[in-house]
Amino acid sequence: MSRFAEARHKTFAALKVRNYRLYFTGQVISVSGTWMQMVAQTYLILYPLHGTGVDVAIATGLQFLPMLLFGPFGGLIADRLDKRKVLYCTQTVAGVLALLLGILVLSHSVHLWEVFVMATFLGGVNLFDNPARQTFVSEMVGLDLMPNAVSLNSVLMNSARVIGPAIGGVLILTLGVGTCFLFNAASYVAVIIALTRMRESELYRKPGVGRAKGQIREGLRYVWATGDLRSPLISMAIVGVFAFNFTVTLPLLAKVTFHGGAALYSLFLAAMGAGAVVGGLFTAHRSNPSTKLLAIIGVLFGAFILLVAVAPSKLTAIIFLVPMGAASISFIATNNATLQLRADPAMRGRVMALNAIAFLGSTPIGAPLLGYISDVSNPRVSLVVGGVATLAASVPLFFLATRQRVARATAPGIETPIADEFSNVVQMPFIDRTTAQPQRRTV
């Protein structure tokens, strides 16, 4: 096998699994529609409805408010129920919401408060969809291929970030903003078809967690007591609040700083998405996340955000957005894979729900804050705040990586939960409730 063929095989290994291949194809279509709607929603608020940066931030924040308030409950549902059935429900409801908003826009009867209401309802759907969708990946490919599949998912999301805004910009300029919502509604059908065609016998299903009192508190205690989970989640929360609000900062950078419209905003998203595809492919090929790698990527991500903030021209901003996008998705994918591998399988849904709170649920706090900063100063200042916060959030990860290295050196016979960093059989610690003693479980 040639070196190129070997690299291709390693990078796209998870796509050899039929169920994941179906899921991947459906998600490319669906997520492209989602990004199309995000561009359309921002355009709808800023132009036809004559909104402000704060209005964009409120709509974005409301979309993630349910996750911030009730995220652990959504993760518990993912741990309890059949994730495939949960996704059937969430994808259907999301499609109906997009259809209703499209009808309101096309009938010229949409108001800003209705956009806010629809964003809140969609946030309720994402409360259950996000942890189910993330943990369903391991059920399709197994734990061994899970890091590769998570990275390919990141490539998928950011390929859609290129495709969706590009198509959305064309539709807005030709057929009108309302058609974007209708196209997004239709795109959910692709995911439902993919879920229907999956072979259930080929899923790596695990029994759901039984009902019991205090399961949400149990998940919170588990994460807080596990330093290998706690530190990455805290760092992701900081980055989520101050940096990952590009649906607020980038359209304002396009409109206020560079005096552009939907076309420039689409170019910004496309540049960031193109870089993210490269970053996702690199992460998929490497497939060995570690805390040290996560810290290094965090530093690079923060540095490129600062470069975008001081970009003197539109072209320079677009150029810097490419490596910023690569660093952003590498940070997300590495963090996601690290958490899933270190978490006990029975806790994985709740752990990933907390990660979703840190990454997405923090938006109701960060989006209005950065929107306000942009309005009272300018969007460049918002980006500087995000870049500095990302650099600061990377510092604890370096300390954690050092502790992990020292622990391996002083106790070489004991592997950390993410062991070098993968093996065909991954050993994870859990508590045997019958003896209340730490045991080892083979997954």
Side-chain angles (χ1 to χ4, degrees):
M1 183 184 295
S2 68
R3 183 172 298 181
F4 174 77
E6 184 179 353
R8 183 181 59 188
H9 171 79
K10 183 177 180 181
T11 303
F12 299 100
L15 287 176
K16 294 184 179 297
V17 179
R18 180 182 181 275
N19 283 343
Y20 181 73
R21 193 164 59 246
L22 285 169
Y23 173 84
F24 188 93
T25 303
Q27 284 288 312
V28 166
I29 299 170
S30 178
V31 179
S32 297
T34 299
W35 273 101
M36 191 186 307
Q37 175 162 320
M38 291 179 70
V39 171
Q41 179 175 287
T42 302
Y43 179 87
L44 176 67
I45 293 172
L46 288 178
Y47 295 96
L49 297 178
H50 308 290
T52 66
V54 172
D55 293 324
V56 173
I58 290 173
T60 305
L62 288 173
Q63 192 166 322
F64 301 105
L65 183 61
M67 192 177 297
L68 175 65
L69 298 177
F70 309 108
F73 178 70
L76 179 59
I77 294 300
D79 283 334
R80 281 181 179 174
L81 302 182
D82 185 326
K83 297 171 183 59
R84 188 179 174 199
K85 292 179 180 178
V86 172
L87 292 174
Y88 271 126
C89 296
T90 57
Q91 297 292 300
T92 300
V93 175
V96 171
L97 290 174
L99 177 62
L100 290 175
L101 188 54
I103 292 172
L104 286 173
V105 175
L106 290 174
S107 63
H108 303 288
S109 58
V110 67
H111 299 87
L112 189 58
W113 69 267
E114 292 169 324
V115 177
F116 291 161
V117 169
M118 289 295 183
T120 305
F121 284 157
L122 183 59
V125 173
N126 287 332
L127 169 67
F128 303 102
D129 182 81
N130 196 280
R133 181 161 37 85
Q134 291 194 57
T135 53
F136 187 53
V137 170
S138 62
E139 290 195 1
M140 286 184 285
V141 301
L143 201 61
D144 202 32
L145 286 175
M146 190 269 292
N148 179 262
V150 167
S151 298
L152 288 177
N153 256 21
S154 302
V155 174
L156 179 158
M157 295 293 178
N158 290 281
S159 299
R161 189 191 296 241
V162 177
I163 298 167
I167 297 175
V170 172
L171 289 176
I172 290 171
L173 295 174
T174 56
L175 300 178
V177 66
T179 55
C180 293
F181 299 103
L182 298 185
F183 271 78
N184 183 40
S187 72
Y188 286 101
V189 176
V191 180
I192 295 172
I193 292 174
L195 292 170
T196 303
R197 294 190 60 196
M198 286 183 183
R199 295 170 182 162
E200 191 167 358
S201 61
E202 296 178 8
L203 293 173
Y204 293 78
R205 295 282 301 278
K206 297 180 178 64
V209 176
R211 289 179 176 271
K213 289 184 178 181
Q215 288 177 310
I216 293 177
R217 291 193 302 273
E218 180 186 17
L220 294 172
R221 286 195 300 267
Y222 168 71
V223 168
W224 189 253
T226 309
D228 286 353
L229 301 175
R230 184 179 63 245
S231 293
L233 282 171
I234 292 174
S235 295
M236 178 56 84
I238 296 171
V239 176
V241 169
F242 295 105
F244 275 115
N245 282 290
F246 298 118
T247 53
V248 174
T249 54
L250 289 187
L252 292 175
L253 187 71
K255 180 182 179 181
V256 177
T257 304
F258 295 116
H259 311 291
L264 181 58
Y265 175 42
S266 296
L267 276 176
F268 281 175
L269 288 178
M272 186 175 174
V277 169
V278 175
L281 288 173
F282 168 78
T283 309
H285 175 73
R286 186 177 175 86
S287 288
N288 57 344
S290 67
T291 305
K292 182 179 179 181
L293 178 62
L294 184 62
I296 292 171
I297 293 171
V299 170
L300 292 174
F301 183 30
F304 283 121
I305 294 175
L306 293 176
L307 288 174
V308 172
V310 300
S313 66
K314 291 181 283 190
L315 178 60
T316 310
I318 290 170
I319 292 172
F320 286 145
L321 279 167
V322 175
M324 190 192 84
S328 73
I329 207 60
S330 295
F331 188 84
I332 295 169
T334 303
N335 178 75
N336 189 313
T338 300
L339 290 174
Q340 290 210 52
L341 283 165
R342 287 174 177 158
D344 186 287
M347 293 286 186
R348 194 169 288 147
R350 279 162 282 184
V351 170
M352 298 315 296
L354 290 173
N355 186 55
I357 293 173
F359 175 44
L360 301 173
S362 58
T363 302
I365 300 171
L369 174 62
L370 294 179
Y372 175 76
I373 293 172
S374 297
D375 282 348
V376 300
S377 56
N378 63 73
R380 293 185 187 274
V381 175
S382 295
L383 287 167
V384 169
V385 170
V388 172
T390 302
L391 292 174
S394 302
V395 174
L397 298 175
F398 281 108
F399 285 113
L400 176 60
T402 300
R403 288 200 304 269
Q404 290 172 342
R405 186 175 66 251
V406 170
R408 286 195 296 268
T410 55
I414 301 177
E415 295 181 343
T416 56
I418 189 166
D420 273 337
E421 299 283 333
F422 303 100
S423 60
N424 290 331
V425 178
V426 179
Q427 301 289 336
M428 295 185 178
F430 78 111
I431 301 297
D432 186 336
R433 299 184 187 280
T434 60
T435 63
Q437 296 296 320
Q439 306 289 329
R440 305 296 296 183
R441 171 182 292 164
T442 300
V443 179

